[in-house]
């Protein structure tokens, strides 16, 4: 709520675009689907906290679990990354469910490519949606 109030809302009110690497959809995916807390209740609470300022567009990098595990292999994992396979299956299923429920808001990109490949796919998808 503080980030929305102090950073996002003023930027939007000034007519600027805001790009963020996380949104409240991550909360729903990790806490709701992953930790199996009530998704609709979380959505309601977060909607109140952000005064209804949900992202206009979400880019979801859908990546298979085995590739995610490979990419994380040499990193120090945070508590979410170390939460186990079943947790991660629920989180990914949650992101996919949310994307399916709001296709007008979500762009799903195959995250298996190289960084330049994924970047090109994102750029093309944004352009197809008329985003500059």
């Amino acid at each position: 709520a503080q980030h929305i109030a102090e950073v996002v809302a003023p930027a939007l009110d000034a007519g600027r675009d805001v790009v963020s690497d996380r949104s409240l959809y991550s909360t729903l995916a990790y806490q709701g689907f992953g930790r199996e807390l009530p998704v609709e209740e979380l959505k309601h609470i977060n909607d109140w906290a952000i005064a209804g300022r949900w992202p206009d567009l979400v880019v979801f990098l859908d990546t298979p679990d085995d590739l995610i595990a490979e990419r994380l292999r040499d990193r120090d994992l945070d508590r979410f990354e170390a939460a186990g396979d079943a947790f991660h299956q629920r989180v990914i299923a949650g992101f996919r469910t949310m994307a399916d429920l709001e296709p007008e808001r979500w762009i799903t990109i195959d995250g298996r490519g190289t960084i330049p490949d994924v970047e090109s796919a994102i750029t093309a998808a944004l352009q197809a949606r008329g985003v500059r």
Side-chain angles (χ1 to χ4, degrees):
Q2 180 180 5
H3 181 67
I4 295 292
E6 293 178 3
V7 178
V8 175
L12 293 173
D13 292 343
R16 295 193 313 268
D17 294 326
V18 176
V19 177
S20 179
D21 68 338
R22 302 283 165 130
S23 76
L24 291 174
Y25 288 110
S26 295
T27 298
L28 298 179
Y30 283 87
Q31 301 297 334
F33 290 94
R35 298 269 187 244
E36 301 180 296
L37 298 174
V39 174
E40 286 305 314
E41 188 174 328
L42 287 170
K43 190 173 184 179
H44 178 74
I45 291 167
N46 281 283
D47 185 62
W48 170 79
I50 63 167
R53 296 211 83 156
W54 290 85
D56 293 328
L57 187 63
V58 179
V59 177
F60 168 43
L61 303 180
D62 194 356
T63 309
D65 290 337
D66 59 334
L67 182 55
I68 293 171
E70 179 183 320
R71 290 176 177 172
L72 294 176
R73 187 174 316 132
D74 295 328
R75 288 184 40 190
D76 289 328
L77 303 181
D78 67 24
R79 65 187 172 103
F80 285 118
E81 293 166 340
D85 291 341
F87 172 80
H88 290 286
Q89 290 293 329
R90 291 190 303 271
V91 169
I92 292 296
F95 276 117
R96 290 176 179 150
T97 297
M98 291 185 291
D100 288 344
L101 290 172
E102 295 184 291
E104 71 285 351
R105 185 183 307 256
W106 287 69
I107 295 173
T108 299
I109 302 293
D110 185 341
R112 288 180 286 194
T114 64
I115 291 172
D117 290 341
V118 173
E119 179 183 7
S120 293
I122 293 169
T123 299
L126 292 173
Q127 289 172 344
R129 292 273 183 114
V131 177
R132 48 183 162 93

